[in-house]
Amino acid sequence: MTAISYELLHKEKNTNARAGILHTPHGSFETPIFMPVGTKATVKGVSPEELKDLGANIVLANTYHLFLRPGADLVKEAGGLHKFMHWDGGILTDSGGFQVFSLGELRKITEEGVTFRSHIDGSKQFLSPEVSMETQMKLGADIVMAFDECIPYPADYEYAKTSTARTSRWAHRSKDAMTSENQGLFGIVQGGMYEDLRKTSAKELVEMDFPGYAVGGLSVGEPKELMYEMLEVSTSELPENKARYLMGVGTPDHFIESVMRGIDMFDCVFPTRVARNGMAMTRTERIVIKNAQYTHDHNVLEENCDCYACKNGYTRAYIRHLFRADEMFGLRLLTLHNLRFLQRFMKELREAIFADKLLEFRKEYYDNLN
């Protein structure tokens, strides 16, 4: 038995969508599922108790940031991330690769790993498959990610080919270095925007027999149509009895289109980041609360929404006032609303899959957009 397993419950008859259960040491969770991002061992502005009330069961924490501060040793000393951040649900940690590669000129890639400068104090640091696995074992998340190289968009074929091959070699090293029996290691499919590289990457990872697979290197600036094409290519090579995770995607349209292509898990900073910038997500539109049109709008953010803000009657006019007055309560209200919105949306998506009505659900969603 592995620490992480996936149970397929239903395949939607009109698409490649699936509904299932993700089993982890800290609970079993219905999929498709959205995981709020707690980059530094906290979802910004939200307590663990509030996350539970929102319907969140599993969160993501960031290896790169925790590696730099407070350090994996301190988290291990506290009893691991679950105890450190007072969260008894599931936790997934990414490998740190995406953050390191996004540093651009501040990092240098070799076969051994990546040398980079800390964004905090400029100190010289090093991450490799072995260091990433050691760090993630100390953090103690339920699901951990293999160390990979995220290919930027655009990238020429030779660069993408070299990078994809390195990601496969690093996946082998990550698996060899992961010795914890209480954690599940996912491999990450790369390949840039090239169909043959995507297929090769997926096949090589499947041969390594990970308990789950992520699709990385998408939603990095490419057109949506190309993203969905590469996603479909990637998932076509993955086994049905393992969880499939699309990294860094967090909007309803992406959920629908990706679930139709066989994805089970999502994470993204989008709902919390845009909330802090004054945007509320709703089924029909995105509300930019700072706009003058909401000055005298005494309606809640969205009718029939059961989030803390809406069910307690906090109005658009009031929340707009909070943002203009630079009051942090406004940021919290929008954050709670956006996170609850996505949890409700994912529940409706699961119900549509079980009812074999995902295409009708998709049409209704797009028809209702303003």
Side-chain angles (χ1 to χ4, degrees):
M1 294 291 292
T2 61
I4 302 296
S5 63
Y6 173 77
E7 180 182 358
L8 177 62
L9 297 181
H10 182 76
K11 291 186 67 177
E12 211 266 350
K13 67 180 183 181
N14 302 303
T15 69
N16 288 320
R18 309 129 49 93
I21 300 178
L22 179 70
H23 298 286
T24 82
H26 285 85
S28 297
F29 316 120
E30 295 177 300
T31 65
I33 193 169
F34 173 72
M35 304 177 287
V37 175
T39 300
K40 302 171 184 176
T42 179
V43 178
K44 290 186 185 298
V46 183
S47 72
E49 292 76 19
E50 288 171 321
L51 278 174
K52 283 189 177 180
D53 289 342
L54 292 167
N57 298 307
I58 180 170
V59 299
L60 181 144
N62 185 267
T63 296
Y64 166 83
H65 287 281
L66 297 175
F67 171 76
L68 294 177
R69 185 170 58 191
D73 287 333
L74 189 145
V75 175
K76 182 180 180 181
E77 176 188 300
L81 268 180
H82 291 89
K83 290 186 177 179
F84 188 56
M85 63 188 287
H86 196 62
W87 172 255
D88 61 4
I91 300 178
L92 181 152
T93 46
D94 57 14
S95 69
F98 178 82
Q99 285 71 28
V100 167
F101 294 113
S102 67
L103 291 172
E105 295 180 359
L106 295 177
R107 51 88 172 138
K108 180 181 179 181
I109 307 170
T110 66
E111 184 64 26
E112 184 59 27
V114 185
T115 303
F116 64 98
R117 294 286 179 180
S118 165
H119 73 285
I120 298 172
D121 59 10
S123 60
K124 190 176 181 179
Q125 303 287 341
F126 177 72
L127 267 180
S128 66
E130 292 76 16
V131 174
S132 178
M133 294 305 103
E134 180 186 9
T135 301
Q136 292 186 79
M137 283 190 282
K138 289 178 179 178
L139 295 176
D142 301 278
I143 301 174
V144 302
M145 306 306 296
F147 193 65
D148 66 322
E149 180 178 350
C150 185
I151 300 170
Y153 177 81
D156 65 54
Y157 184 83
E158 287 306 316
Y159 177 94
K161 183 178 180 180
T162 300
S163 173
T164 302
R166 181 184 290 124
T167 284
S168 289
R169 293 192 296 272
W170 283 358
H172 272 293
R173 288 168 55 188
S174 294
K175 188 172 183 181
D176 289 343
M178 173 51 64
T179 58
S180 170
E181 296 182 355
N182 299 316
Q183 297 172 286
L185 174 64
F186 281 25
I188 304 177
V189 178
Q190 290 289 350
M193 303 302 155
Y194 301 98
E195 180 176 339
D196 62 326
L197 298 181
R198 286 269 164 193
K199 286 187 175 183
T200 297
S201 178
K203 288 176 180 178
E204 290 177 351
L205 292 174
V206 170
E207 287 180 2
M208 299 180 212
D209 194 26
F210 291 97
Y213 299 90
V215 180
L218 295 180
S219 192
V220 291
E222 76 279 8
K224 281 186 178 182
E225 295 76 13
L226 183 57
M227 171 188 166
Y228 298 143
E229 180 185 343
M230 291 301 104
L231 180 60
E232 197 159 342
V233 168
S234 301
T235 56
S236 68
E237 300 294 336
L238 299 178
E240 284 195 347
N241 65 336
K242 303 288 182 72
R244 303 166 180 172
Y245 162 35
L246 177 58
M247 308 179 78
V249 165
T251 58
D253 57 335
H254 281 155
F255 290 164
I256 294 173
E257 301 297 335
S258 303
V259 162
M260 286 175 59
R261 291 161 174 84
I263 291 296
D264 309 302
M265 303 165 61
F266 302 88
D267 83 282
C268 196
V269 297
F270 182 85
T272 49
R273 179 174 289 170
V274 298
R276 297 192 300 276
N277 288 308
M279 179 188 289
M281 304 172 72
T282 75
R283 194 62 175 266
T284 59
E285 62 181 331
R286 294 178 181 177
I287 297 172
V288 181
I289 205 68
K290 297 176 185 178
N291 289 352
Q293 70 190 83
Y294 302 113
T295 303
H296 301 283
D297 190 338
H298 301 293
N299 296 299
V300 295
L301 293 168
E302 186 171 29
E303 291 297 329
N304 302 316
C305 174
D306 62 357
C307 81
Y308 175 85
C310 293
K311 73 181 180 182
N312 286 298
Y314 292 101
T315 66
R316 298 175 181 187
Y318 176 62
I319 298 173
R320 179 178 186 273
H321 155 69
L322 293 177
F323 268 85
R324 288 179 58 80
D326 201 24
E327 289 288 344
M328 68 176 67
F329 188 42
L331 280 68
R332 279 191 21 86
L333 288 174
L334 287 195
T335 299
L336 293 169
H337 170 81
N338 285 353
L339 289 175
R340 179 57 189 154
F341 169 77
L342 289 186
Q343 293 298 330
R344 287 192 300 118
F345 189 88
M346 200 58 78
K347 180 175 183 292
E348 293 172 18
L349 196 54
R350 290 194 294 267
E351 292 170 350
I353 293 171
F354 276 114
D356 293 318
K357 293 183 177 179
L358 186 54
L359 292 180
E360 292 94 323
F361 181 86
R362 177 181 184 271
K363 183 178 185 303
E364 179 185 357
Y365 171 75
Y366 286 119
D367 286 348
N368 288 334
L369 287 179
N370 292 332

